[in-house]
Amino acid sequence: MACEKGHMKTCIDLGSTWSKKFDDPEAYAKVEKFWGKACDKGELEICEKFADMIVFRKPREERVTLSRKYYEKACDGGSVESCFKLAKAMVDNSDQGGLNQAYPFYKKACEKEHAESCYYVGTALSEKYGETLIPEQLKEMHEYYNTACNKGFTAACSSAESLKSTIDEQEEAKRKALEEAKRKEEEA
């Protein structure tokens, strides 16, 4: 068979044929065989397509486990959407990862200019840091929310503005405290 001899178009075509009956266990095994081979040989669009089918058609408890290697392969190959989709699947199926495990994939997509991913990096940092934040943490979170906002993910804009106000208030309070300390030192 041409697929077994390394002809990837044949593998892709055979996987496409079997994908029409994706919910049948035998058909799924064939799709995994043919598209898996194509994915392993660097057909990154097929990696993402197969992972998408898994996420949309497999039971919730299997989605991340089955799709992860295909999304990761495409993500590592440069597919920003695959990085985002894997992270989103982890969060949507929180018993299979959640925001902490999704964070590196959101961060990778953000670094490649994916606005919504930048927002979720800010959200993950917010969860990580908790309620008592030092200025450096606020600035780090602001950076991600602001990037998301500037790239068109408007849901991040209010978070960016709120953090900017908090940062400005903290810096103003610090400045006033330093001025007061300096004034008291001069009076003494």
Side-chain angles (χ1 to χ4, degrees):
M1 178 189 302
C3 176
E4 291 173 358
K5 293 180 180 175
H7 191 262
M8 290 306 105
K9 179 160 179 12
T10 302
C11 296
I12 294 167
D13 290 346
L14 287 167
S16 294
T17 299
W18 283 101
S19 72
K20 293 172 183 141
K21 297 179 182 180
F22 193 78
D23 295 325
D24 174 280
E26 179 185 356
Y28 174 81
K30 297 282 187 178
V31 174
E32 183 176 37
K33 175 184 175 182
F34 297 125
W35 280 359
K37 183 175 183 84
C39 179
D40 289 343
K41 295 293 183 181
E43 298 290 336
L44 301 179
E45 300 88 27
I46 294 302
C47 300
E48 185 173 340
K49 185 175 183 176
F50 186 35
D52 286 346
M53 288 184 78
I54 290 168
V55 167
F56 291 111
R57 309 238 339 240
K58 285 294 184 181
R60 184 178 182 278
E61 64 275 2
E62 297 177 4
R63 292 176 185 161
V64 174
T65 304
L66 295 174
S67 67
R68 183 175 182 143
K69 78 176 188 177
Y70 302 105
Y71 276 143
E72 274 194 76
K73 176 100 172 165
C75 175
D76 291 344
S79 170
V80 175
E81 280 301 311
S82 287
C83 300
F84 173 74
K85 288 175 180 178
L86 175 55
K88 185 161 176 26
M90 289 174 157
V91 171
D92 290 348
N93 302 283
S94 60
D95 57 325
Q96 298 178 46
L99 194 52
N100 284 338
Q101 286 189 1
Y103 175 82
F105 299 101
Y106 278 137
K107 188 161 186 196
K108 192 170 193 174
C110 176
E111 289 168 354
K112 294 180 181 179
E113 309 297 316
H114 192 275
E116 190 172 352
S117 292
C118 295
Y119 171 79
Y120 287 117
V121 170
T123 301
L125 291 172
S126 177
E127 283 189 17
K128 175 183 173 185
Y129 296 146
E131 292 183 27
T132 308
L133 301 169
I134 60 172
E136 292 76 23
Q137 293 169 333
L138 287 170
K139 289 176 182 176
E140 182 182 16
M141 289 165 40
H142 176 262
E143 178 185 334
Y144 286 104
Y145 285 131
N146 198 49
T147 298
C149 178
N150 290 338
K151 299 225 173 281
F153 191 69
T154 57
C157 297
S158 62
S159 296
E161 290 169 15
S162 175
L163 281 169
K164 180 66 172 137
S165 290
T166 302
I167 292 165
D168 290 347
E169 288 169 10
Q170 283 186 355
E171 288 178 351
E172 179 64 15
K174 184 179 179 180
R175 185 189 63 74
K176 284 182 178 180
L178 288 172
E179 283 178 4
E180 181 64 21
K182 186 177 180 181
R183 185 185 61 76
K184 285 183 179 181
E185 186 178 290
E186 289 173 355
E187 288 177 357

mmCIF file of all heavy atoms in Angstrom, residues 11-31:
data_model
loop_
_atom_site.group_PDB
_atom_site.id
_atom_site.type_symbol
_atom_site.label_atom_id
_atom_site.label_comp_id
_atom_site.label_asym_id
_atom_site.label_seq_id
_atom_site.Cartn_x
_atom_site.Cartn_y
_atom_site.Cartn_z
ATOM 1 N N CYS A 11 -2.029 8.375 2.665
ATOM 2 C CA CYS A 11 -2.394 8.256 4.083
ATOM 3 C C CYS A 11 -3.485 9.255 4.447
ATOM 4 O O CYS A 11 -4.464 8.911 5.128
ATOM 5 C CB CYS A 11 -1.180 8.492 4.979
ATOM 6 S SG CYS A 11 0.144 7.286 4.813
ATOM 7 N N ILE A 12 -3.314 10.472 3.982
ATOM 8 C CA ILE A 12 -4.295 11.525 4.269
ATOM 9 C C ILE A 12 -5.639 11.178 3.649
ATOM 10 O O ILE A 12 -6.688 11.279 4.308
ATOM 11 C CB ILE A 12 -3.781 12.896 3.789
ATOM 12 C CG1 ILE A 12 -2.555 13.301 4.623
ATOM 13 C CG2 ILE A 12 -4.876 13.954 3.853
ATOM 14 C CD1 ILE A 12 -1.771 14.474 4.068
ATOM 15 N N ASP A 13 -5.623 10.740 2.409
ATOM 16 C CA ASP A 13 -6.872 10.386 1.727
ATOM 17 C C ASP A 13 -7.568 9.204 2.403
ATOM 18 O O ASP A 13 -8.789 9.216 2.585
ATOM 19 C CB ASP A 13 -6.612 10.070 0.249
ATOM 20 C CG ASP A 13 -6.225 11.303 -0.555
ATOM 21 O OD1 ASP A 13 -6.417 12.440 -0.056
ATOM 22 O OD2 ASP A 13 -5.707 11.139 -1.675
ATOM 23 N N LEU A 14 -6.807 8.197 2.777
ATOM 24 C CA LEU A 14 -7.400 7.039 3.465
ATOM 25 C C LEU A 14 -7.980 7.458 4.817
ATOM 26 O O LEU A 14 -9.086 7.037 5.190
ATOM 27 C CB LEU A 14 -6.361 5.936 3.663
ATOM 28 C CG LEU A 14 -5.979 5.162 2.397
ATOM 29 C CD1 LEU A 14 -4.723 4.317 2.645
ATOM 30 C CD2 LEU A 14 -7.133 4.281 1.945
ATOM 31 N N GLY A 15 -7.258 8.291 5.549
ATOM 32 C CA GLY A 15 -7.773 8.798 6.818
ATOM 33 C C GLY A 15 -9.051 9.591 6.623
ATOM 34 O O GLY A 15 -10.002 9.461 7.401
ATOM 35 N N SER A 16 -9.098 10.392 5.562
ATOM 36 C CA SER A 16 -10.295 11.186 5.273
ATOM 37 C C SER A 16 -11.493 10.287 4.986
ATOM 38 O O SER A 16 -12.612 10.552 5.437
ATOM 39 C CB SER A 16 -10.055 12.119 4.085
ATOM 40 O OG SER A 16 -9.099 13.089 4.413
ATOM 41 N N THR A 17 -11.255 9.232 4.244
ATOM 42 C CA THR A 17 -12.334 8.288 3.937
ATOM 43 C C THR A 17 -12.883 7.665 5.216
ATOM 44 O O THR A 17 -14.094 7.626 5.434
ATOM 45 C CB THR A 17 -11.829 7.186 2.979
ATOM 46 O OG1 THR A 17 -11.393 7.821 1.768
ATOM 47 C CG2 THR A 17 -12.914 6.178 2.685
ATOM 48 N N TRP A 18 -12.007 7.191 6.074
ATOM 49 C CA TRP A 18 -12.428 6.561 7.322
ATOM 50 C C TRP A 18 -12.996 7.572 8.310
ATOM 51 O O TRP A 18 -13.810 7.208 9.174
ATOM 52 C CB TRP A 18 -11.275 5.789 7.954
ATOM 53 C CG TRP A 18 -11.024 4.483 7.267
ATOM 54 C CD1 TRP A 18 -10.046 4.200 6.362
ATOM 55 C CD2 TRP A 18 -11.791 3.285 7.417
ATOM 56 N NE1 TRP A 18 -10.142 2.904 5.939
ATOM 57 C CE2 TRP A 18 -11.207 2.309 6.577
ATOM 58 C CE3 TRP A 18 -12.899 2.930 8.168
ATOM 59 C CZ2 TRP A 18 -11.707 1.016 6.466
ATOM 60 C CZ3 TRP A 18 -13.400 1.642 8.077
ATOM 61 C CH2 TRP A 18 -12.806 0.698 7.230
ATOM 62 N N SER A 19 -12.615 8.835 8.205
ATOM 63 C CA SER A 19 -13.077 9.839 9.166
ATOM 64 C C SER A 19 -14.583 10.076 9.080
ATOM 65 O O SER A 19 -15.189 10.580 10.021
ATOM 66 C CB SER A 19 -12.329 11.158 8.987
ATOM 67 O OG SER A 19 -12.728 11.824 7.809
ATOM 68 N N LYS A 20 -15.185 9.690 7.977
ATOM 69 C CA LYS A 20 -16.634 9.867 7.822
ATOM 70 C C LYS A 20 -17.409 8.979 8.787
ATOM 71 O O LYS A 20 -18.573 9.227 9.060
ATOM 72 C CB LYS A 20 -17.034 9.600 6.377
ATOM 73 C CG LYS A 20 -16.463 10.647 5.445
ATOM 74 C CD LYS A 20 -16.676 10.317 3.994
ATOM 75 C CE LYS A 20 -15.991 11.399 3.168
ATOM 76 N NZ LYS A 20 -15.329 10.919 2.013
ATOM 77 N N LYS A 21 -16.749 7.930 9.282
ATOM 78 C CA LYS A 21 -17.383 7.026 10.258
ATOM 79 C C LYS A 21 -16.603 7.072 11.573
ATOM 80 O O LYS A 21 -16.444 6.072 12.252
ATOM 81 C CB LYS A 21 -17.390 5.596 9.712
ATOM 82 C CG LYS A 21 -18.193 5.418 8.455
ATOM 83 C CD LYS A 21 -18.120 3.978 7.991
ATOM 84 C CE LYS A 21 -18.895 3.798 6.701
ATOM 85 N NZ LYS A 21 -18.821 2.408 6.252
ATOM 86 N N PHE A 22 -16.127 8.244 11.919
ATOM 87 C CA PHE A 22 -15.200 8.454 13.029
ATOM 88 C C PHE A 22 -15.681 7.852 14.353
ATOM 89 O O PHE A 22 -14.882 7.415 15.162
ATOM 90 C CB PHE A 22 -14.964 9.961 13.193
ATOM 91 C CG PHE A 22 -13.815 10.314 14.078
ATOM 92 C CD1 PHE A 22 -12.512 10.232 13.626
ATOM 93 C CD2 PHE A 22 -14.031 10.756 15.372
ATOM 94 C CE1 PHE A 22 -11.436 10.583 14.430
ATOM 95 C CE2 PHE A 22 -12.970 11.110 16.192
ATOM 96 C CZ PHE A 22 -11.673 11.023 15.716
ATOM 97 N N ASP A 23 -16.989 7.850 14.589
ATOM 98 C CA ASP A 23 -17.517 7.361 15.860
ATOM 99 C C ASP A 23 -17.462 5.844 15.985
ATOM 100 O O ASP A 23 -17.572 5.313 17.090
ATOM 101 C CB ASP A 23 -18.948 7.860 16.068
ATOM 102 C CG ASP A 23 -18.995 9.376 16.201
ATOM 103 O OD1 ASP A 23 -18.038 9.942 16.772
ATOM 104 O OD2 ASP A 23 -19.963 9.985 15.736
ATOM 105 N N ASP A 24 -17.270 5.157 14.884
ATOM 106 C CA ASP A 24 -17.134 3.699 14.906
ATOM 107 C C ASP A 24 -15.705 3.351 15.351
ATOM 108 O O ASP A 24 -14.744 3.888 14.797
ATOM 109 C CB ASP A 24 -17.411 3.156 13.494
ATOM 110 C CG ASP A 24 -17.162 1.672 13.385
ATOM 111 O OD1 ASP A 24 -15.979 1.279 13.258
ATOM 112 O OD2 ASP A 24 -18.138 0.916 13.421
ATOM 113 N N PRO A 25 -15.540 2.485 16.350
ATOM 114 C CA PRO A 25 -14.193 2.181 16.857
ATOM 115 C C PRO A 25 -13.221 1.683 15.780
ATOM 116 O O PRO A 25 -12.044 2.043 15.797
ATOM 117 C CB PRO A 25 -14.437 1.097 17.907
ATOM 118 C CG PRO A 25 -15.853 1.302 18.342
ATOM 119 C CD PRO A 25 -16.589 1.798 17.128
ATOM 120 N N GLU A 26 -13.700 0.886 14.836
ATOM 121 C CA GLU A 26 -12.822 0.399 13.767
ATOM 122 C C GLU A 26 -12.381 1.555 12.872
ATOM 123 O O GLU A 26 -11.211 1.664 12.504
ATOM 124 C CB GLU A 26 -13.529 -0.664 12.921
ATOM 125 C CG GLU A 26 -12.659 -1.189 11.791
ATOM 126 C CD GLU A 26 -13.374 -2.160 10.851
ATOM 127 O OE1 GLU A 26 -14.542 -2.508 11.105
ATOM 128 O OE2 GLU A 26 -12.736 -2.542 9.849
ATOM 129 N N ALA A 27 -13.333 2.426 12.549
ATOM 130 C CA ALA A 27 -13.008 3.583 11.709
ATOM 131 C C ALA A 27 -12.032 4.505 12.433
ATOM 132 O O ALA A 27 -11.075 5.006 11.834
ATOM 133 C CB ALA A 27 -14.282 4.337 11.322
ATOM 134 N N TYR A 28 -12.261 4.731 13.730
ATOM 135 C CA TYR A 28 -11.348 5.576 14.503
ATOM 136 C C TYR A 28 -9.931 5.003 14.457
ATOM 137 O O TYR A 28 -8.966 5.735 14.265
ATOM 138 C CB TYR A 28 -11.820 5.710 15.961
ATOM 139 C CG TYR A 28 -10.825 6.457 16.812
ATOM 140 C CD1 TYR A 28 -10.782 7.838 16.790
ATOM 141 C CD2 TYR A 28 -9.881 5.783 17.584
ATOM 142 C CE1 TYR A 28 -9.842 8.543 17.532
ATOM 143 C CE2 TYR A 28 -8.938 6.478 18.335
ATOM 144 C CZ TYR A 28 -8.920 7.847 18.306
ATOM 145 O OH TYR A 28 -7.982 8.539 19.025
ATOM 146 N N ALA A 29 -9.808 3.688 14.615
ATOM 147 C CA ALA A 29 -8.492 3.038 14.577
ATOM 148 C C ALA A 29 -7.816 3.257 13.225
ATOM 149 O O ALA A 29 -6.601 3.474 13.152
ATOM 150 C CB ALA A 29 -8.624 1.549 14.883
ATOM 151 N N LYS A 30 -8.601 3.216 12.150
ATOM 152 C CA LYS A 30 -8.040 3.444 10.801
ATOM 153 C C LYS A 30 -7.600 4.900 10.636
ATOM 154 O O LYS A 30 -6.531 5.172 10.093
ATOM 155 C CB LYS A 30 -9.066 3.079 9.725
ATOM 156 C CG LYS A 30 -9.474 1.629 9.708
ATOM 157 C CD LYS A 30 -8.438 0.777 9.067
ATOM 158 C CE LYS A 30 -8.974 -0.645 8.928
ATOM 159 N NZ LYS A 30 -8.033 -1.526 8.278
ATOM 160 N N VAL A 31 -8.439 5.822 11.106
ATOM 161 C CA VAL A 31 -8.069 7.243 11.015
ATOM 162 C C VAL A 31 -6.792 7.480 11.806
ATOM 163 O O VAL A 31 -5.863 8.141 11.331
ATOM 164 C CB VAL A 31 -9.210 8.163 11.531
ATOM 165 C CG1 VAL A 31 -8.755 9.617 11.574
ATOM 166 C CG2 VAL A 31 -10.446 8.023 10.661
#
